[in-house]
Amino acid sequence: MDGQTLPGTTDDEEGPDRVILHVDMDCFYAACERLREPALVGEPVVVGMGYEPGDTIGAVATASYEAREFGVGSAQPISQAVERLAPIEFPDIGDEETPRGHYRPVDMAFYQSVASQVKEILHDGADVVREVSIDEAYLDVTDRTSWAEVVDDEGARAPSNASGPAGTRTLAEGYARHIRERIHRQVGVHASVGVAPNMATAKVASDHDKPQGLTVVPPGTVADFLAPLPVEDIHGVGPVRAGELRSMGIETAGDLAAFDPRELRDRFGDRGRELYDRARGHDDRAVTPRGRPKSLSRESSGTTSDDDAKREKIRHLAADVAQRATAKGALYRTIGIKAVQPPYDVNTRAKSLSGPVDDAALVEEVALDLLREFEGQTVRKLGVRVSNLSFAEEEQASLDGFESACGPAAGNDSEADDEAGGTPTQDESEGARTRRTRSGQFSLGEFE
DNA sequence: TCTGGGGTCCTAGGACCC
DNA sequence: TCTGGGGTCCTAGGACCC
């Protein structure tokens, strides 16, 4: 009974069909590098981070299609990519040999500047845009175009020029093509676009014909379009769930769509129901702009068992995260660390404060405190995270209210005393400190 | 393919409260 | 008084995405 769709109220019947675009930039980082270095066009290019020649750490962020021919792919260790593209050229290193491939370090600032040009075009082309990442966005263009078929003067339909199940050309297809071409013309990078009546299907569609693809899935063709695709093509099915689904005899989206939803729910919880719906092409999520971040983190790899080195790294990461939070106007109520131990055991530890703060010294203090558990142990990666975020303007408003009700900052001493004397349950120093900052003072330094 | 960095969402157990 | 049910918050871990 609960959570089940009532008969006669399926997703399909909720108003007119929407037109959703998913725009996905092709090999975006590599495309950006080619923008400022045209000699890289047509060459195998790999963009990575955290890697110096000779290193063993670092991973591939983006590989151009030419590089993929050599078996180089995303998330691969760079050392391996470098081997496969040898002799590979690094920037600022002279090389007499003719290189097979080219390595470039990630330059996010530059990619952001290119992305903002693309985003401008997207926002110009749609009333609602959800930016998923630097190189990916959903657009609801229902109010700008439609699924109406294109007809000529004699009333004859035109055949579709897009890939996918569309037989005839629609206004939506033309609209998507227009946006895709505008991106290339004005910014100089390529995108693949999927067009469908919902987000989940548009996402699959944009992936269907990369690079420079345009795949159109009109209403009524969704389930048939999805059915033959391998189950991991569905957003939300990764290696683990794909393996589990396979063990249940589910190979394709069609198999998943035909499976008993109750059994999927038992096995995968709410996610099971969601995957089932996606596989059937049902997705009534509205396209909404991305809200505020929910957490901010920084992490860094490097195996060590030296406690001083670990503390130093944590201090560095903590300062970095705190500074980023300040820059974004974010207050945080939870501070945590991550310690990855060989071979790959991920440990997270976190501590929540009694109120939101913006306090770099406290981030360091709490993070170091949490790190103590790992004293003497080997870690291969450390991270610091702040979460439970709230944002300055909103927070300031409630603080103003708090202040007027409780008097100005002069009352701080008695407040702190109350906290320390009355409720010794929590960590006292933090409780008192947090309470003080709640009075509108966001810096620990002001009191010490 | 033994693994970089920055995120999101979900789940499950325990504490605590009424 | 030895035990019901519901709700919320916190912590830890896991899967997934780009």
Side-chain angles (χ1 to χ4, degrees), chain A residues 100-112:
Chain A
R100 175 184 280 171
H102 308 264
Y103 175 86
R104 293 294 178 272
V106 166
D107 179 358
M108 288 310 291
F110 177 60
Y111 308 154
Q112 287 287 0

Side-chain angles (χ1 to χ4, degrees), chain A residues 14-132:
Chain A
E14 293 182 1
D17 286 310
R18 297 175 294 156
V19 184
I20 309 296
L21 268 49
H22 182 255
V23 177
D24 198 344
M25 309 305 297
D26 301 324
C27 308
F28 185 59
Y29 297 176
C32 290
E33 292 297 339
R34 286 169 169 175
L35 215 49
R36 60 177 172 188
E37 205 179 336
L40 296 178
V41 174
E43 295 282 306
V45 176
V46 55
V47 180
M49 55 186 129
Y51 181 81
E52 299 290 328
D55 261 356
T56 53
I57 63 170
V60 173
T62 302
S64 74
Y65 282 93
E66 295 82 358
R68 292 178 199 192
E69 302 275 303
F70 293 94
V72 173
S74 281
Q76 192 176 48
I78 291 184
S79 48
Q80 193 177 89
V82 164
E83 271 171 38
R84 298 193 177 174
L85 292 177
I88 190 166
E89 176 243 347
F90 287 89
D92 307 323
I93 295 181
D95 203 333
E96 307 89 287
E97 293 181 274
T98 307
R100 175 184 280 171
H102 308 264
Y103 175 86
R104 293 294 178 272
V106 166
D107 179 358
M108 288 310 291
F110 177 60
Y111 308 154
Q112 287 287 0
S113 73
V114 178
S116 68
Q117 297 175 54
V118 175
K119 299 291 160 71
E120 218 170 285
I121 293 169
L122 301 183
H123 284 275
D124 196 42
D127 300 309
V128 195
V129 177
R130 182 183 188 87
E131 297 175 14
V132 178

Side-chain angles (χ1 to χ4, degrees), chain A residues 199-231:
Chain A
M199 292 172 73
T201 310
K203 166 79 185 166
V204 175
S206 72
D207 237 18
H208 194 250
D209 185 31
K210 274 182 147 296
Q212 302 178 51
L214 175 61
T215 299
V216 179
V217 188
T221 69
V222 173
D224 286 344
F225 166 70
L226 297 172
L229 301 178
V231 79

Side-chain angles (χ1 to χ4, degrees), chain A residues 143-353:
Chain A
D143 292 339
R144 305 285 186 102
T145 182
S146 81
W147 287 110
E149 292 172 330
V150 174
V151 292
D152 63 20
D153 294 342
E154 277 102 58
R157 294 166 177 167
S160 169
N161 290 324
S163 60
T168 58
R169 202 180 313 162
T170 56
L171 293 178
E173 176 180 329
Y175 195 84
R177 189 182 301 281
H178 164 73
I179 288 187
R180 200 193 58 165
E181 285 173 358
R182 214 181 136 192
I183 292 169
H184 183 238
R185 196 171 59 244
Q186 295 184 8
V187 187
V189 294
H190 288 289
S192 293
V193 179
V195 190
N198 60 59
M199 292 172 73
T201 310
K203 166 79 185 166
V204 175
S206 72
D207 237 18
H208 194 250
D209 185 31
K210 274 182 147 296
Q212 302 178 51
L214 175 61
T215 299
V216 179
V217 188
T221 69
V222 173
D224 286 344
F225 166 70
L226 297 172
L229 301 178
V231 79
E232 49 265 86
D233 280 14
I234 293 171
H235 204 54
V237 179
V240 174
R241 291 205 262 257
E244 245 182 290
L245 289 168
R246 288 242 145 74
S247 76
M248 298 161 77
I250 299 170
E251 301 276 339
T252 65
D255 296 339
L256 184 53
F259 211 79
D260 178 2
R262 284 166 306 186
E263 204 171 317
L264 291 168
R265 209 207 167 93
D266 289 347
R267 195 81 174 244
F268 300 98
D270 285 348
R271 289 285 174 145
R273 177 76 209 196
E274 196 179 287
L275 295 178
Y276 172 77
D277 286 337
R278 302 274 183 281
R280 295 166 67 90
H282 288 208
D283 177 13
D284 58 5
R285 288 173 300 163
V287 178
T288 54
R290 270 247 286 200
R292 309 277 205 176
K294 302 208 165 20
S295 67
L296 298 169
S297 66
R298 210 65 140 178
E299 56 188 68
S300 164
S301 290
T303 302
T304 181
S305 50
D306 180 74
D307 289 323
D308 286 332
K310 283 185 277 183
R311 277 193 290 268
E312 192 47 44
K313 185 174 264 188
I314 284 287
R315 271 193 281 268
H316 203 258
L317 296 168
D320 228 66
V321 168
Q323 187 236 313
R324 252 193 326 141
T326 304
K328 287 180 181 290
L331 305 175
Y332 32 87
R333 213 160 70 69
T334 303
I335 299 166
I337 65 162
K338 171 155 126 179
V340 182
Q341 300 181 279
Y344 205 77
D345 293 327
V346 180
N347 301 279
T348 59
R349 298 292 180 268
K351 189 162 180 59
S352 291
L353 314 171

